Amino acid sequence: MATTKAQAPAVSSRRWAALFFIGLAQLTIVLDGTVVNIALPSLQQDLMISDGDRQWIITAYTLAFGSLLLLGGRIADHTGRKRTFQIGLLGFAAASALGGAAGNFELLLTARALQGGFAALLGPSALSLLTVTFTEPKERAKAFGIWGAITAAGGAIGLLAGGALTDYLDWRWCLYISVPIAAIAAIGGHLVLTESRREGRARFDIPGVLLVTGGLVAIVYATGRAESGGWDSVEVIGLLAAGVVLLAAFAVVESRVPQPLLPPRLVADRTRGGAYLSVGLAMLAMFGAFLFMTYYMQVVKGYSPIRTGVAFLPMTVAVLISAGGLTARLLPKLPPRMLIVPGLLLIVFGMLWLRTMETDTAYVEGVLVSELLLGLGAGMIMPVAFNYATHGVDPGDAGIASATVNTAQQISSSIGTALLNTIATSATAAYIASHGTSPAIAREAMLEGFVTAGTWAAGILLAGALVVVVLMNTPRPERQAVTKDAEDAEPVLAQP
């Protein structure tokens, strides 16, 4: 396959069609993060999975996904982003079909791990294709507005889809649903996407791969174990310590090898650092809110799965209005922190609104208000953070830059969910210990746990917002097609 050099804006004359199929691939990944959650009780009963093992249906996916993302990003850079994109989609579809047909726990667990592994190829290749396709500031703002809306709203859409599929069909369709979506994205991507890759021979940083994969596996695995064993258990502390040591060794190795897996210049940039932090904080809050509100509506309020999914729709609408309308218009005109920090504060208020809720609070007065605040805030953060996490990066490093922001998203959602869930269960247990046991007390105790965890989340986000104010001092975007770095580094395009 011959290669020629071309300027970035000429990557594709069909870039908006490309955006549709790239966005569809991203929706596939995000949906899978939550669509299975509502189906857990049904599949657990059907496959006779113990309470201690059910968490691994979720953790197997996040473990493979989070730990392999950086490797997936570098593979996309060197072997071709379009090719990696299609391999990721087809592999994800096959793993989803395998999971839907699983007749036992072991096969379902294998399928979920395979889904995570192929998602680690798909996520970075999709975002890097978006990065090299849209370089003109106004078009880039619109494209990343749509991308951010898909990422922020996809989780809520997954809850709605999971509820509907579980209620009206079967839990297996929560996995089968990914097959047609991935197939459409793969076929469309083959037709409209243009191949791009890093120039030169691929030399993978094997020590870096082993260290970062081992470190991330240890950390993500520890968060999964913390939900059952507690954060103070010897196993969890040991795994977290091992993860930190391995990642510290990874940082040392990356500063010394000639072709690092993660070039230090990518994460040392203050703008990208602020973007990674912002994505992590937003995902911590959103996935914590999905967990709390799902259990609040189903257990405390007695909603059915489908009613719970429908109840999340206003959050999706709020994200779409915020990301696709307001943020897309303001992104080319304002410094990034002028959008990210207000977005974080809206999410803080959304989490604190949980404190006003009682077991008999009406949906409109409680959950709805919190959802709208969270949705509007996430819609202001995600497009900006994804844009600046990849903006100005050498096109040859687009895949690894995309993988890094995906890693921040995945690891923070895993760690954040486990941390907030531990806080919530501890507060619930303490409430029951001091108030006694009865069905009414149990519901009040569960709500007390959610309120306590939401308050902690608000505090974490508020501290993060202060860090972003100081760290992300990027000025108003320049009105030019690409940054100086991107102009100096011409992408290599392979003609299909």
Side-chain angles (χ1 to χ4, degrees), residues 250-281:
F250 170 70
V252 173
V253 167
E254 297 307 278
S255 66
R256 297 182 178 181
V257 296
Q259 292 190 15
L261 176 67
L262 177 60
R265 65 181 180 275
L266 289 182
V267 293
D269 182 86
R270 293 178 64 168
T271 298
R272 283 191 284 274
Y276 299 150
L277 175 62
S278 302
V279 167
L281 291 170

Side-chain angles (χ1 to χ4, degrees), residues 24-112:
L24 204 58
Q26 175 69 0
L27 180 62
T28 304
I29 297 174
V30 179
L31 276 177
D32 202 73
T34 56
V35 71
V36 176
N37 289 26
I38 287 182
L40 270 178
S42 298
L43 72 86
Q44 180 183 357
Q45 183 179 6
D46 192 18
L47 298 181
M48 294 181 291
I49 301 171
S50 69
D51 288 345
D53 286 337
R54 67 184 176 188
Q55 65 167 321
W56 293 109
I57 303 301
I58 305 298
T59 306
Y61 177 79
T62 59
L63 189 65
F65 190 12
S67 60
L68 295 174
L69 269 166
L70 291 180
L71 177 59
R74 192 48 90 192
I75 289 173
D77 281 335
H78 283 291
T79 64
R81 298 175 185 110
K82 177 180 176 180
R83 178 182 298 175
T84 307
F85 177 80
Q86 291 182 294
I87 292 172
L89 279 169
L90 295 175
F92 194 92
S96 299
L98 179 66
N104 55 61
F105 172 64
E106 291 75 17
L107 186 57
L108 179 59
L109 202 65
T110 300
R112 291 289 286 167

Side-chain angles (χ1 to χ4, degrees), residues 284-370:
L284 179 150
M286 295 299 285
F287 274 80
F290 289 149
L291 177 68
F292 300 153
M293 290 181 182
T294 297
Y295 275 90
Y296 173 76
M297 287 188 279
Q298 289 198 44
V299 178
V300 177
K301 304 294 287 184
Y303 287 12
S304 67
I306 182 60
R307 188 179 178 188
T308 301
V310 171
F312 276 107
L313 276 179
M315 181 187 289
T316 304
V317 174
V319 170
L320 294 175
I321 292 173
S322 178
L326 176 66
T327 305
R329 291 177 180 273
L330 296 179
L331 180 54
K333 303 175 182 179
L334 294 176
R337 64 182 174 185
M338 293 296 290
L339 290 168
I340 288 177
V341 173
L344 288 171
L345 293 179
L346 282 173
I347 295 179
V348 167
F349 294 140
M351 299 304 287
L352 290 177
W353 191 261
L354 294 173
R355 300 189 64 86
T356 70
M357 292 163 52
E358 303 290 344
T359 56
D360 58 351
T361 301
Y363 168 78
V364 174
E365 299 172 0
V367 171
L368 178 61
V369 176
S370 183

Side-chain angles (χ1 to χ4, degrees), residues 39-218:
L40 270 178
S42 298
L43 72 86
Q44 180 183 357
Q45 183 179 6
D46 192 18
L47 298 181
M48 294 181 291
I49 301 171
S50 69
D51 288 345
D53 286 337
R54 67 184 176 188
Q55 65 167 321
W56 293 109
I57 303 301
I58 305 298
T59 306
Y61 177 79
T62 59
L63 189 65
F65 190 12
S67 60
L68 295 174
L69 269 166
L70 291 180
L71 177 59
R74 192 48 90 192
I75 289 173
D77 281 335
H78 283 291
T79 64
R81 298 175 185 110
K82 177 180 176 180
R83 178 182 298 175
T84 307
F85 177 80
Q86 291 182 294
I87 292 172
L89 279 169
L90 295 175
F92 194 92
S96 299
L98 179 66
N104 55 61
F105 172 64
E106 291 75 17
L107 186 57
L108 179 59
L109 202 65
T110 300
R112 291 289 286 167
L114 287 172
Q115 279 186 310
F118 283 109
L121 289 176
L122 180 56
S125 59
L127 183 56
S128 60
L129 282 167
L130 186 70
T131 300
V132 299
T133 300
F134 291 90
T135 55
E136 195 278 322
K138 286 187 177 180
E139 288 192 347
R140 185 180 174 93
K142 292 178 182 178
F144 275 87
I146 295 170
W147 179 270
I150 292 171
T151 302
I157 295 172
L159 294 172
L160 173 60
L165 293 169
T166 303
D167 266 0
Y168 297 123
L169 294 173
D170 185 80
W171 66 264
R172 297 180 184 277
W173 283 95
C174 292
L175 291 157
Y176 286 144
I177 190 64
S178 296
V179 177
I181 299 174
I184 293 170
I187 294 170
H190 175 73
L191 295 174
V192 304
L193 291 174
T194 302
E195 184 64 284
S196 68
R197 65 170 61 90
R198 185 183 180 91
E199 188 175 11
R201 181 182 176 186
R203 294 182 180 179
F204 290 102
D205 171 20
I206 301 302
V209 169
L210 296 176
L211 288 170
V212 74
T213 302
L216 292 176
V217 164

Side-chain angles (χ1 to χ4, degrees), residues 435-460:
H435 291 77
T437 57
S438 72
I441 292 296
R443 290 192 295 271
E444 293 173 2
M446 180 172 286
L447 179 59
E448 177 66 21
F450 298 158
V451 168
T452 303
T455 304
W456 273 91
I460 294 170

